[in-house]
Amino acid sequence: MLYSERLWVPVWWWAVGLFVAGLLAAEVHMGAPGLRAWLPYVLLLPLPVWGLVWLSRLRVEVVEEPDGVHLRVGQAHLPLDVISRVAEVPGSAKSAALGRQLDPAAFVQHRVWVKPMALIVLDDPEDPTPYWLISTRRPAELLAAVNRARPHTDGD
């Protein structure tokens, strides 16, 4: 493992999710006296936890595999030898990169709560995808790991 990052949702989302679930459970609790009063808490409080963990499942990794070093983003993987160049997309340019400048054939893994992104331009004649655009909290570290691990030719 040369680089690994999990894109967790912000902490305040957890607080809001648990607060809303608790509020709904308390509202149901007021109408259900007795032993059934605890049931809405048991049923409703795990829902935001499950939802936020599910939203946070995306991993961005640079890993060594038997057939070479790969960039993994979720279930997708990319051998580093097909990468032409890499660049950081700051949070201030994210709107343009995902809007008017976005190529419809690009591979995009975007998370709203992560501002910076990484642009990975491909040079693979067999792949119609021109580039990958992925969310990452630490784009400089990711791009450094990719540059360290990718094979360089004399023209690089």
Side-chain angles (χ1 to χ4, degrees):
M1 185 82 54
L2 304 174
Y3 175 85
S4 181
E5 172 184 18
R6 188 165 181 173
L7 300 180
W8 290 98
V9 297
V11 173
W12 68 269
W13 285 28
W14 290 87
V16 170
L18 291 171
F19 175 75
V20 169
L23 192 61
L24 289 172
E27 188 173 331
V28 173
H29 171 152
M30 290 190 296
L35 187 58
R36 293 177 298 167
W38 59 269
L39 195 57
Y41 296 101
V42 171
L43 296 176
L44 291 175
L45 287 177
L47 289 178
V49 172
W50 174 82
L52 293 169
V53 167
W54 184 79
L55 285 172
S56 300
R57 73 190 181 284
L58 185 68
R59 285 190 170 277
V60 178
E61 300 173 324
V62 178
V63 295
E64 266 189 87
E65 296 182 350
D67 60 338
V69 182
H70 287 227
L71 170 65
R72 291 193 167 277
V73 180
Q75 297 295 319
H77 65 93
L78 177 71
L80 295 191
D81 58 353
V82 300
I83 294 176
S84 155
R85 63 186 188 278
V86 295
E88 182 177 339
V89 179
S92 59
K94 180 178 182 177
S95 177
L98 290 172
R100 64 184 179 275
Q101 296 174 357
L102 182 66
D103 186 329
F107 173 78
V108 178
Q109 279 292 342
H110 169 248
R111 294 299 180 258
V112 174
W113 56 89
V114 179
K115 296 293 181 212
M117 299 185 86
L119 174 70
I120 293 125
V121 181
L122 308 183
D123 184 22
D124 185 2
E126 296 180 20
D127 190 353
T129 307
Y131 59 88
W132 282 25
L133 190 60
I134 56 174
S135 293
T136 175
R137 284 198 172 92
R138 303 183 323 251
E141 291 178 39
L142 171 63
L143 299 181
V146 167
N147 282 329
R148 275 194 311 273
R150 91 181 159 110
H152 292 282
T153 61
D154 293 335
D156 282 348

